[in-house]
Amino acid sequence: MAAHIPLAPVESSTEARIRTLAGDLKQQPGALLPILHAVQDTFGYVPECTAAVLATELALSRAEVHGVISFYHHFRTRPAGAHVLHICRAEACQSMGSAALERDIKQLLNIDYHQTTADGSVTLEPVYCLGNCACSPNIRLDDAVHGRMTLAKTERLLQLLKEGQA
Amino acid sequence: MTRLYLSCDSCALSVGADELAQALTAQLGEQIDLQRTSTRGMFWLEPLLEVDTPQGRVGYGPLTAEDLPSLLAADLLNGGDHPLCIGLVEQHPYLARQQRLTFASLGHNRPLAMEDYAAQGGWSGLQRALNLSPQQIVDEVKESGLRGRGGAAFPTGIKWQTVLDAQAPYHRGFDEAVKFIVCNADEGDSGTFSDRLVMEDNPFQLIEGMLIAALATGATRGYIYLRAEYPHAHRVLQQAITLAEQQGYLGEAILGSHHRFHLQVRLAAGAYICGEETALLESLEGKRGMVRAKPPLPALEGLFGQPTVVNNVISLASVPLILSKGGAHYRDFGQGRSRGTMPLQLAGNIRQGGLVEVAFGVTLREILYDFGGGSASGRPIKAVQIGGPLGAYIPPAHFDTPLDYEALAAVGGMVGHGGIVVFDDQADLGQMAAFAMEFCALESCGKCTPCRIGSTRAQEVLARIRQGEDAEDNLALLTDLCDTMEQASLCALGGMAPYPVKSIVKYFGEELHSVSQTPSAGGQH
Ligand SMILES: Cc1cc2nc3c(=O)[nH]c(=O)nc-3n(C[C@H](O)[C@H](O)[C@H](O)COP(=O)(O)O)c2cc1C
Ligand code: SF4
Ligand code: FES
């Protein structure tokens, strides 16, 4: 059956892809955040043209869309590395030595927060609580939280990443 | 075949539960029936493996796959003794001493198994609500004495009454005179995870609570505003909603009645201020999370200008039991104006961290030592921060304070969302004071100057005090700044960020003056 349905030409430009993502969601009231999530999930970040495209799609001003993107810590406007490593900086993790872990991980990766390693493999971000505060200190690697963290365990996780197993 | 139980909660996963499950299956295969259940909330024991025996479930934890050979040698499948065996799980003092009402199912259900939810008494509150008038439902919640568990402790029944009484205007986008139930699942406070536990471990309970709220107020649509830091909860909720829709609990004609309720999860985007209810509503509307001035109350003009209930996850998850057992049953727990139970969350530098649901009135000391077993590091506990990043640091001199809203307020503290973060004597509280202001500056929505600018100034002043510059003058300046923030901020972020700082000045003043050489806090194991 499916073979008889003419396929729409695949639009490949970034603008067109963002328009398609918006198209699926924009009917619902308050659609901007869900669309921005879809954009970031697709591209790994929110590309620069997003504000202009979504302003047209949602009948907002470009400044309004830009204002929303810049308000939320979650949305990044530059591409991330292949993996994102979040270190929890909040109080419970601090009470279990997260500041030292943070310092050691930065040293290990040789980057600061919001930066990506030279080989493009890891972007480092701070996070304020992962909801695992009874097993502090915590980090999040992509979508998985890892508790009771130490530098050695972090190194092992990063090694597994390199081997493509984490 | 022996039945084993292992949690699939994100806490258990974060310390290797899946790896353990794989090893168990690989080694024991057909011999076992491994059930992935909700957690017990005894997180220091995760991954906690439980084995069915004729006497009850015997527990082992915390385990790694490497423990398997010795466990098998110790006759694991018959509940044999082992250094990591904790005996009969139900009789563990940590559990036996709790009054689990809202979290009664923990450890007993598979989170997405609807048959498990029903077997635990699920949906009976909804069934009863379907036979009551909206006013009768609201009265039941009022009777329970339930106060909002998100932090502000406002009586839930009174909030629902306002929304029930409100006349909803017609809304074009929804093509009806819609009212909303919004669940605040932004859980941003450090030291808290009880919302996460409901959503990951018993998601139908939240759905049932929201349905009852909808029946009580005439709402037809609901949103769960979920923090982006909880991807696991997101997946579980999405699946739970789909299952509930398929079984007729959500959508049109709920369980064949004339009621309808449509529920959606909306993902937040990493802004602490969006836990404040009006900023949350702005965010749901697709805007920057700027705090709105009140009035109008969200109950009257909330989401998209429509009457809206905004409730915390725990508030909503408490409602099914209140309806099924009656408001009086719930009210009979607790003391004074703090009725029912509070799911406390023991976190940070504590030996036995986890969920402690008890009736209001237990003292902090009992929580920290009888339940918590003292610090994780084995060193003396120096302070606890209760109620999240805006909560005061409480010194040991106040550890005999009973945990209820009023008693804690009397010593300058707050219950908040029930998070208790423990610090041992190695912690650098001067650094924690600076962190409180750093966090406020980072998360300020920017609407009012005292919060936006004051928090940055306070950081600078604190830095100077810590360097020993004009300590006295700077301390006076800090006090001034704190007072201004408290008095002139629109919401509690700016208004309460001074609390942790002032409590440290008051109880741990000498620590402000010392800049430690090492990064803050000790206790790494
Ligand atoms: C800065 C700030 C952050 C807040 N964060 C949360 C939160 O993460 N979750 C929550 O339920 N309430 C939070 N609140 C409280 C909400 O504004 C509101 O009181 C609550 O959602 C109402 O629900 P309840 O009555 O069921 O507690 C926050 C308040 C402030 C001022
Ligand atoms: S106190 Fe801070 S967070 Fe609250 S409204 Fe004012 S600027 Fe925004
Ligand atoms: S404070 Fe780090 S997980 Fe909560």
mmCIF file of all heavy atoms in Angstrom, chain B residues 159-200:
data_model
loop_
_atom_site.group_PDB
_atom_site.id
_atom_site.type_symbol
_atom_site.label_atom_id
_atom_site.label_comp_id
_atom_site.label_asym_id
_atom_site.label_seq_id
_atom_site.Cartn_x
_atom_site.Cartn_y
_atom_site.Cartn_z
ATOM 1 N N LYS B 159 -7.965 25.548 47.827
ATOM 2 C CA LYS B 159 -7.589 25.863 46.438
ATOM 3 C C LYS B 159 -8.585 25.238 45.468
ATOM 4 O O LYS B 159 -9.065 25.889 44.532
ATOM 5 C CB LYS B 159 -6.171 25.326 46.171
ATOM 6 C CG LYS B 159 -5.608 25.687 44.824
ATOM 7 C CD LYS B 159 -4.211 25.102 44.612
ATOM 8 C CE LYS B 159 -3.151 25.811 45.424
ATOM 9 N NZ LYS B 159 -1.777 25.324 45.129
ATOM 10 N N TRP B 160 -8.941 23.994 45.704
ATOM 11 C CA TRP B 160 -9.890 23.306 44.815
ATOM 12 C C TRP B 160 -11.254 23.994 44.854
ATOM 13 O O TRP B 160 -11.947 24.092 43.852
ATOM 14 C CB TRP B 160 -10.036 21.836 45.228
ATOM 15 C CG TRP B 160 -8.825 21.005 44.910
ATOM 16 C CD1 TRP B 160 -7.563 21.448 44.626
ATOM 17 C CD2 TRP B 160 -8.770 19.572 44.840
ATOM 18 N NE1 TRP B 160 -6.722 20.377 44.408
ATOM 19 C CE2 TRP B 160 -7.436 19.228 44.530
ATOM 20 C CE3 TRP B 160 -9.710 18.556 45.029
ATOM 21 C CZ2 TRP B 160 -7.028 17.903 44.383
ATOM 22 C CZ3 TRP B 160 -9.306 17.237 44.886
ATOM 23 C CH2 TRP B 160 -7.972 16.917 44.563
ATOM 24 N N GLN B 161 -11.658 24.456 46.053
ATOM 25 C CA GLN B 161 -12.956 25.134 46.182
ATOM 26 C C GLN B 161 -12.997 26.362 45.274
ATOM 27 O O GLN B 161 -13.996 26.601 44.576
ATOM 28 C CB GLN B 161 -13.176 25.565 47.639
ATOM 29 C CG GLN B 161 -14.538 26.203 47.896
ATOM 30 C CD GLN B 161 -15.653 25.157 47.902
ATOM 31 O OE1 GLN B 161 -15.635 24.236 48.710
ATOM 32 N NE2 GLN B 161 -16.611 25.288 46.986
ATOM 33 N N THR B 162 -11.911 27.127 45.271
ATOM 34 C CA THR B 162 -11.848 28.333 44.440
ATOM 35 C C THR B 162 -12.024 27.979 42.968
ATOM 36 O O THR B 162 -12.751 28.659 42.243
ATOM 37 C CB THR B 162 -10.496 29.060 44.654
ATOM 38 O OG1 THR B 162 -10.278 29.194 46.052
ATOM 39 C CG2 THR B 162 -10.498 30.424 44.000
ATOM 40 N N VAL B 163 -11.376 26.913 42.547
ATOM 41 C CA VAL B 163 -11.472 26.538 41.135
ATOM 42 C C VAL B 163 -12.868 25.965 40.836
ATOM 43 O O VAL B 163 -13.456 26.249 39.785
ATOM 44 C CB VAL B 163 -10.365 25.540 40.745
ATOM 45 C CG1 VAL B 163 -10.506 25.083 39.300
ATOM 46 C CG2 VAL B 163 -8.994 26.174 40.963
ATOM 47 N N LEU B 164 -13.403 25.202 41.765
ATOM 48 C CA LEU B 164 -14.762 24.679 41.571
ATOM 49 C C LEU B 164 -15.758 25.825 41.420
ATOM 50 O O LEU B 164 -16.621 25.803 40.536
ATOM 51 C CB LEU B 164 -15.157 23.792 42.766
ATOM 52 C CG LEU B 164 -16.638 23.392 42.875
ATOM 53 C CD1 LEU B 164 -17.082 22.587 41.656
ATOM 54 C CD2 LEU B 164 -16.896 22.577 44.146
ATOM 55 N N ASP B 165 -15.619 26.841 42.252
ATOM 56 C CA ASP B 165 -16.566 27.958 42.225
ATOM 57 C C ASP B 165 -16.350 28.901 41.051
ATOM 58 O O ASP B 165 -17.228 29.696 40.725
ATOM 59 C CB ASP B 165 -16.467 28.763 43.531
ATOM 60 C CG ASP B 165 -16.930 27.952 44.739
ATOM 61 O OD1 ASP B 165 -17.637 26.944 44.529
ATOM 62 O OD2 ASP B 165 -16.570 28.318 45.878
ATOM 63 N N ALA B 166 -15.166 28.850 40.438
ATOM 64 C CA ALA B 166 -14.864 29.796 39.355
ATOM 65 C C ALA B 166 -15.665 29.450 38.103
ATOM 66 O O ALA B 166 -15.877 28.278 37.781
ATOM 67 C CB ALA B 166 -13.368 29.764 39.049
ATOM 68 N N GLN B 167 -16.108 30.496 37.426
ATOM 69 C CA GLN B 167 -16.812 30.334 36.156
ATOM 70 C C GLN B 167 -15.769 30.431 35.042
ATOM 71 O O GLN B 167 -15.144 31.470 34.878
ATOM 72 C CB GLN B 167 -17.845 31.474 36.039
ATOM 73 C CG GLN B 167 -18.974 31.227 35.077
ATOM 74 C CD GLN B 167 -19.839 30.028 35.498
ATOM 75 O OE1 GLN B 167 -20.136 29.881 36.680
ATOM 76 N NE2 GLN B 167 -20.210 29.198 34.542
ATOM 77 N N ALA B 168 -15.578 29.367 34.281
ATOM 78 C CA ALA B 168 -14.556 29.420 33.235
ATOM 79 C C ALA B 168 -15.102 30.125 31.999
ATOM 80 O O ALA B 168 -16.192 29.807 31.546
ATOM 81 C CB ALA B 168 -14.108 28.002 32.869
ATOM 82 N N PRO B 169 -14.350 31.096 31.463
ATOM 83 C CA PRO B 169 -14.763 31.694 30.191
ATOM 84 C C PRO B 169 -14.479 30.737 29.025
ATOM 85 O O PRO B 169 -13.655 29.834 29.150
ATOM 86 C CB PRO B 169 -13.905 32.949 30.096
ATOM 87 C CG PRO B 169 -12.678 32.654 30.899
ATOM 88 C CD PRO B 169 -13.094 31.694 31.981
ATOM 89 N N TYR B 170 -15.158 30.948 27.925
ATOM 90 C CA TYR B 170 -14.907 30.151 26.716
ATOM 91 C C TYR B 170 -13.493 30.436 26.209
ATOM 92 O O TYR B 170 -13.060 31.577 26.171
ATOM 93 C CB TYR B 170 -15.940 30.507 25.644
ATOM 94 C CG TYR B 170 -15.683 29.830 24.322
ATOM 95 C CD1 TYR B 170 -16.041 28.492 24.119
ATOM 96 C CD2 TYR B 170 -15.080 30.531 23.274
ATOM 97 C CE1 TYR B 170 -15.793 27.869 22.908
ATOM 98 C CE2 TYR B 170 -14.832 29.914 22.054
ATOM 99 C CZ TYR B 170 -15.192 28.575 21.877
ATOM 100 O OH TYR B 170 -14.944 27.962 20.687
ATOM 101 N N HIS B 171 -12.761 29.389 25.845
ATOM 102 C CA HIS B 171 -11.418 29.570 25.290
ATOM 103 C C HIS B 171 -11.386 29.044 23.862
ATOM 104 O O HIS B 171 -11.691 27.879 23.620
ATOM 105 C CB HIS B 171 -10.380 28.834 26.148
ATOM 106 C CG HIS B 171 -8.968 29.147 25.747
ATOM 107 N ND1 HIS B 171 -8.393 28.668 24.596
ATOM 108 C CD2 HIS B 171 -8.017 29.918 26.344
ATOM 109 C CE1 HIS B 171 -7.149 29.118 24.496
ATOM 110 N NE2 HIS B 171 -6.903 29.881 25.544
ATOM 111 N N ARG B 172 -10.999 29.921 22.929
ATOM 112 C CA ARG B 172 -11.074 29.537 21.510
ATOM 113 C C ARG B 172 -10.128 28.410 21.141
ATOM 114 O O ARG B 172 -10.487 27.495 20.407
ATOM 115 C CB ARG B 172 -10.778 30.751 20.636
ATOM 116 C CG ARG B 172 -12.056 31.488 20.287
ATOM 117 C CD ARG B 172 -11.748 32.720 19.489
ATOM 118 N NE ARG B 172 -11.381 32.405 18.108
ATOM 119 C CZ ARG B 172 -10.983 33.351 17.256
ATOM 120 N NH1 ARG B 172 -10.884 34.601 17.643
ATOM 121 N NH2 ARG B 172 -10.687 33.026 16.018
ATOM 122 N N GLY B 173 -8.895 28.491 21.671
ATOM 123 C CA GLY B 173 -7.899 27.483 21.306
ATOM 124 C C GLY B 173 -8.352 26.072 21.665
ATOM 125 O O GLY B 173 -8.024 25.104 20.979
ATOM 126 N N PHE B 174 -9.096 25.952 22.748
ATOM 127 C CA PHE B 174 -9.553 24.633 23.194
ATOM 128 C C PHE B 174 -11.012 24.397 22.828
ATOM 129 O O PHE B 174 -11.545 23.314 23.046
ATOM 130 C CB PHE B 174 -9.365 24.489 24.716
ATOM 131 C CG PHE B 174 -7.924 24.487 25.129
ATOM 132 C CD1 PHE B 174 -7.306 25.663 25.533
ATOM 133 C CD2 PHE B 174 -7.173 23.322 25.082
ATOM 134 C CE1 PHE B 174 -5.967 25.673 25.902
ATOM 135 C CE2 PHE B 174 -5.835 23.325 25.454
ATOM 136 C CZ PHE B 174 -5.232 24.498 25.861
ATOM 137 N N ASP B 175 -11.651 25.455 22.326
ATOM 138 C CA ASP B 175 -13.051 25.390 21.921
ATOM 139 C C ASP B 175 -13.959 24.887 23.051
ATOM 140 O O ASP B 175 -14.850 24.071 22.840
ATOM 141 C CB ASP B 175 -13.212 24.496 20.672
ATOM 142 C CG ASP B 175 -14.616 24.644 20.062
ATOM 143 O OD1 ASP B 175 -15.246 25.697 20.282
ATOM 144 O OD2 ASP B 175 -15.077 23.691 19.397
ATOM 145 N N GLU B 176 -13.688 25.345 24.251
ATOM 146 C CA GLU B 176 -14.585 25.050 25.367
ATOM 147 C C GLU B 176 -14.267 25.995 26.522
ATOM 148 O O GLU B 176 -13.239 26.661 26.533
ATOM 149 C CB GLU B 176 -14.449 23.586 25.828
ATOM 150 C CG GLU B 176 -13.058 23.224 26.326
ATOM 151 C CD GLU B 176 -12.997 21.832 26.963
ATOM 152 O OE1 GLU B 176 -13.914 21.488 27.712
ATOM 153 O OE2 GLU B 176 -12.006 21.123 26.719
ATOM 154 N N ALA B 177 -15.144 26.002 27.501
ATOM 155 C CA ALA B 177 -14.919 26.792 28.716
ATOM 156 C C ALA B 177 -14.072 25.943 29.658
ATOM 157 O O ALA B 177 -14.560 25.376 30.623
ATOM 158 C CB ALA B 177 -16.242 27.165 29.366
ATOM 159 N N VAL B 178 -12.785 25.878 29.337
ATOM 160 C CA VAL B 178 -11.931 24.871 29.962
ATOM 161 C C VAL B 178 -11.356 25.326 31.308
ATOM 162 O O VAL B 178 -11.058 26.498 31.518
ATOM 163 C CB VAL B 178 -10.789 24.487 28.974
ATOM 164 C CG1 VAL B 178 -9.940 25.698 28.633
ATOM 165 C CG2 VAL B 178 -9.919 23.360 29.522
ATOM 166 N N LYS B 179 -11.253 24.375 32.236
ATOM 167 C CA LYS B 179 -10.452 24.540 33.451
ATOM 168 C C LYS B 179 -9.323 23.509 33.383
ATOM 169 O O LYS B 179 -9.464 22.471 32.737
ATOM 170 C CB LYS B 179 -11.286 24.280 34.706
ATOM 171 C CG LYS B 179 -12.398 25.293 34.974
ATOM 172 C CD LYS B 179 -13.153 24.924 36.255
ATOM 173 C CE LYS B 179 -14.343 25.854 36.467
ATOM 174 N NZ LYS B 179 -15.125 25.453 37.673
ATOM 175 N N PHE B 180 -8.224 23.826 34.081
ATOM 176 C CA PHE B 180 -7.051 22.945 34.000
ATOM 177 C C PHE B 180 -6.618 22.409 35.366
ATOM 178 O O PHE B 180 -6.760 23.090 36.381
ATOM 179 C CB PHE B 180 -5.848 23.711 33.440
ATOM 180 C CG PHE B 180 -6.007 24.172 32.023
ATOM 181 C CD1 PHE B 180 -6.279 25.504 31.744
ATOM 182 C CD2 PHE B 180 -5.870 23.283 30.968
ATOM 183 C CE1 PHE B 180 -6.416 25.943 30.434
ATOM 184 C CE2 PHE B 180 -6.003 23.707 29.655
ATOM 185 C CZ PHE B 180 -6.287 25.045 29.384
ATOM 186 N N ILE B 181 -6.065 21.206 35.344
ATOM 187 C CA ILE B 181 -5.287 20.692 36.469
ATOM 188 C C ILE B 181 -3.831 20.661 36.014
ATOM 189 O O ILE B 181 -3.504 19.976 35.039
ATOM 190 C CB ILE B 181 -5.700 19.255 36.868
ATOM 191 C CG1 ILE B 181 -7.210 19.147 37.105
ATOM 192 C CG2 ILE B 181 -4.895 18.793 38.090
ATOM 193 C CD1 ILE B 181 -7.746 19.969 38.250
ATOM 194 N N VAL B 182 -2.991 21.416 36.679
ATOM 195 C CA VAL B 182 -1.574 21.413 36.345
ATOM 196 C C VAL B 182 -0.804 20.777 37.493
ATOM 197 O O VAL B 182 -0.912 21.210 38.643
ATOM 198 C CB VAL B 182 -1.057 22.843 36.081
ATOM 199 C CG1 VAL B 182 0.467 22.849 35.959
ATOM 200 C CG2 VAL B 182 -1.695 23.413 34.821
ATOM 201 N N CYS B 183 -0.051 19.757 37.153
ATOM 202 C CA CYS B 183 0.771 19.109 38.171
ATOM 203 C C CYS B 183 2.176 19.690 38.117
ATOM 204 O O CYS B 183 2.836 19.653 37.072
ATOM 205 C CB CYS B 183 0.828 17.602 37.923
ATOM 206 S SG CYS B 183 2.018 16.795 38.995
ATOM 207 N N ASN B 184 2.614 20.221 39.231
ATOM 208 C CA ASN B 184 3.945 20.785 39.325
ATOM 209 C C ASN B 184 4.950 19.672 39.628
ATOM 210 O O ASN B 184 5.067 19.209 40.760
ATOM 211 C CB ASN B 184 3.964 21.856 40.420
ATOM 212 C CG ASN B 184 5.266 22.633 40.455
ATOM 213 O OD1 ASN B 184 6.266 22.196 39.903
ATOM 214 N ND2 ASN B 184 5.242 23.785 41.112
ATOM 215 N N ALA B 185 5.624 19.227 38.582
ATOM 216 C CA ALA B 185 6.613 18.161 38.724
ATOM 217 C C ALA B 185 7.994 18.706 38.381
ATOM 218 O O ALA B 185 8.803 18.054 37.743
ATOM 219 C CB ALA B 185 6.257 16.975 37.827
ATOM 220 N N ASP B 186 8.245 19.934 38.834
ATOM 221 C CA ASP B 186 9.525 20.566 38.524
ATOM 222 C C ASP B 186 10.596 20.212 39.556
ATOM 223 O O ASP B 186 11.783 20.465 39.325
ATOM 224 C CB ASP B 186 9.359 22.084 38.420
ATOM 225 C CG ASP B 186 10.461 22.710 37.586
ATOM 226 O OD1 ASP B 186 10.797 22.116 36.538
ATOM 227 O OD2 ASP B 186 11.011 23.748 37.973
ATOM 228 N N GLU B 187 10.177 19.671 40.664
ATOM 229 C CA GLU B 187 11.060 19.193 41.750
ATOM 230 C C GLU B 187 12.520 19.652 41.656
ATOM 231 O O GLU B 187 13.431 18.843 41.453
ATOM 232 C CB GLU B 187 11.010 17.661 41.843
ATOM 233 C CG GLU B 187 11.629 17.136 43.134
ATOM 234 C CD GLU B 187 11.174 15.725 43.502
ATOM 235 O OE1 GLU B 187 11.493 14.762 42.799
ATOM 236 O OE2 GLU B 187 10.473 15.595 44.549
ATOM 237 N N GLY B 188 12.713 20.954 41.862
ATOM 238 C CA GLY B 188 14.055 21.503 41.696
ATOM 239 C C GLY B 188 14.906 21.529 42.946
ATOM 240 O O GLY B 188 16.110 21.741 42.880
ATOM 241 N N ASP B 189 14.295 21.315 44.126
ATOM 242 C CA ASP B 189 15.054 21.438 45.364
ATOM 243 C C ASP B 189 16.079 20.329 45.507
ATOM 244 O O ASP B 189 15.743 19.147 45.394
ATOM 245 C CB ASP B 189 14.132 21.344 46.589
ATOM 246 C CG ASP B 189 13.204 22.541 46.720
ATOM 247 O OD1 ASP B 189 13.316 23.477 45.898
ATOM 248 O OD2 ASP B 189 12.365 22.533 47.640
ATOM 249 N N SER B 190 17.313 20.711 45.808
ATOM 250 C CA SER B 190 18.303 19.693 46.141
ATOM 251 C C SER B 190 17.827 18.942 47.377
ATOM 252 O O SER B 190 17.232 19.525 48.278
ATOM 253 C CB SER B 190 19.642 20.354 46.438
ATOM 254 O OG SER B 190 20.528 19.395 46.989
ATOM 255 N N GLY B 191 18.087 17.641 47.397
ATOM 256 C CA GLY B 191 17.690 16.834 48.548
ATOM 257 C C GLY B 191 16.286 16.276 48.429
ATOM 258 O O GLY B 191 15.816 15.622 49.348
ATOM 259 N N THR B 192 15.621 16.504 47.310
ATOM 260 C CA THR B 192 14.263 15.974 47.169
ATOM 261 C C THR B 192 14.164 15.022 45.981
ATOM 262 O O THR B 192 14.815 15.212 44.952
ATOM 263 C CB THR B 192 13.212 17.092 47.000
ATOM 264 O OG1 THR B 192 13.416 17.767 45.772
ATOM 265 C CG2 THR B 192 13.282 18.077 48.153
ATOM 266 N N PHE B 193 13.351 14.000 46.165
ATOM 267 C CA PHE B 193 13.137 13.026 45.095
ATOM 268 C C PHE B 193 11.803 12.317 45.254
ATOM 269 O O PHE B 193 11.541 11.317 44.594
ATOM 270 C CB PHE B 193 14.286 12.010 45.046
ATOM 271 C CG PHE B 193 14.772 11.564 46.414
ATOM 272 C CD1 PHE B 193 14.029 10.680 47.182
ATOM 273 C CD2 PHE B 193 15.964 12.050 46.932
ATOM 274 C CE1 PHE B 193 14.472 10.283 48.443
ATOM 275 C CE2 PHE B 193 16.408 11.662 48.209
ATOM 276 C CZ PHE B 193 15.657 10.772 48.958
ATOM 277 N N SER B 194 10.929 12.818 46.133
ATOM 278 C CA SER B 194 9.669 12.103 46.352
ATOM 279 C C SER B 194 8.741 12.206 45.140
ATOM 280 O O SER B 194 8.035 11.247 44.819
ATOM 281 C CB SER B 194 8.973 12.600 47.618
ATOM 282 O OG SER B 194 8.706 13.983 47.530
ATOM 283 N N ASP B 195 8.759 13.341 44.439
ATOM 284 C CA ASP B 195 7.950 13.451 43.221
ATOM 285 C C ASP B 195 8.428 12.424 42.192
ATOM 286 O O ASP B 195 7.629 11.749 41.543
ATOM 287 C CB ASP B 195 8.079 14.843 42.595
ATOM 288 C CG ASP B 195 7.495 15.953 43.461
ATOM 289 O OD1 ASP B 195 6.801 15.634 44.445
ATOM 290 O OD2 ASP B 195 7.756 17.128 43.150
ATOM 291 N N ARG B 196 9.749 12.358 42.064
ATOM 292 C CA ARG B 196 10.313 11.393 41.122
ATOM 293 C C ARG B 196 9.863 9.983 41.470
ATOM 294 O O ARG B 196 9.514 9.193 40.586
ATOM 295 C CB ARG B 196 11.847 11.480 41.142
ATOM 296 C CG ARG B 196 12.524 10.451 40.254
ATOM 297 C CD ARG B 196 14.032 10.542 40.260
ATOM 298 N NE ARG B 196 14.675 10.144 41.500
ATOM 299 C CZ ARG B 196 14.726 8.888 41.976
ATOM 300 N NH1 ARG B 196 14.149 7.898 41.310
ATOM 301 N NH2 ARG B 196 15.338 8.624 43.116
ATOM 302 N N LEU B 197 9.847 9.666 42.759
ATOM 303 C CA LEU B 197 9.441 8.320 43.161
ATOM 304 C C LEU B 197 8.007 8.019 42.749
ATOM 305 O O LEU B 197 7.714 6.924 42.266
ATOM 306 C CB LEU B 197 9.571 8.149 44.679
ATOM 307 C CG LEU B 197 10.992 8.035 45.219
ATOM 308 C CD1 LEU B 197 10.967 7.774 46.716
ATOM 309 C CD2 LEU B 197 11.730 6.917 44.511
ATOM 310 N N VAL B 198 7.113 8.964 42.936
ATOM 311 C CA VAL B 198 5.729 8.731 42.505
ATOM 312 C C VAL B 198 5.694 8.483 40.998
ATOM 313 O O VAL B 198 5.100 7.516 40.521
ATOM 314 C CB VAL B 198 4.819 9.933 42.850
ATOM 315 C CG1 VAL B 198 3.462 9.788 42.169
ATOM 316 C CG2 VAL B 198 4.651 10.058 44.353
ATOM 317 N N MET B 199 6.371 9.340 40.261
ATOM 318 C CA MET B 199 6.254 9.278 38.799
ATOM 319 C C MET B 199 6.925 8.047 38.207
ATOM 320 O O MET B 199 6.403 7.439 37.274
ATOM 321 C CB MET B 199 6.828 10.551 38.186
ATOM 322 C CG MET B 199 6.029 11.788 38.612
ATOM 323 S SD MET B 199 6.544 13.305 37.796
ATOM 324 C CE MET B 199 8.082 13.660 38.635
ATOM 325 N N GLU B 200 8.079 7.665 38.762
ATOM 326 C CA GLU B 200 8.773 6.501 38.221
ATOM 327 C C GLU B 200 8.242 5.192 38.780
ATOM 328 O O GLU B 200 8.289 4.164 38.108
ATOM 329 C CB GLU B 200 10.272 6.561 38.560
ATOM 330 C CG GLU B 200 11.023 7.640 37.838
ATOM 331 C CD GLU B 200 12.512 7.626 38.169
ATOM 332 O OE1 GLU B 200 12.952 6.811 39.010
ATOM 333 O OE2 GLU B 200 13.224 8.435 37.588
#
